[in-house]
Amino acid sequence: MNHKKGKVVVPGAGLNSLSENDKLDFLVCIDNTLEKIRYREVSINEGFIEIHQKLNSLN
């Protein structure tokens, strides 16, 4: 990942190689994790780890 002024760039090839179902599953994971962060059920760091682990499990 490239870091530019606080922005995280995810390589597109990794996401493009996923099936449509996996892409949807990953988007649901992101949405659920953002809800957890919003309601302070997890920290931002814990949320990032959840999302990262989900993406790794799909690849």
Side-chain angles (χ1 to χ4, degrees):
M1 283 190 246
N2 301 324
H3 298 279
K4 298 177 184 177
K5 300 274 184 192
K7 294 181 181 178
V8 177
V9 178
V10 177
L15 296 176
N16 288 336
S17 65
L18 298 177
S19 70
E20 291 302 313
N21 285 338
D22 284 347
K23 287 178 187 176
L24 182 59
D25 196 28
F26 185 57
L27 289 174
V28 169
C29 172
I30 292 171
D31 187 52
N32 289 341
T33 303
L34 289 174
E35 284 291 313
K36 289 180 191 176
I37 292 169
R38 185 176 297 121
Y39 293 107
R40 307 207 190 276
E41 295 172 12
V42 296
S43 70
I44 293 172
N45 287 338
E46 291 167 331
F48 177 77
I49 290 168
E50 280 185 28
I51 292 170
H52 189 259
Q53 288 173 338
K54 181 63 174 182
L55 182 58
N56 283 341
S57 74
L58 295 173
N59 283 332

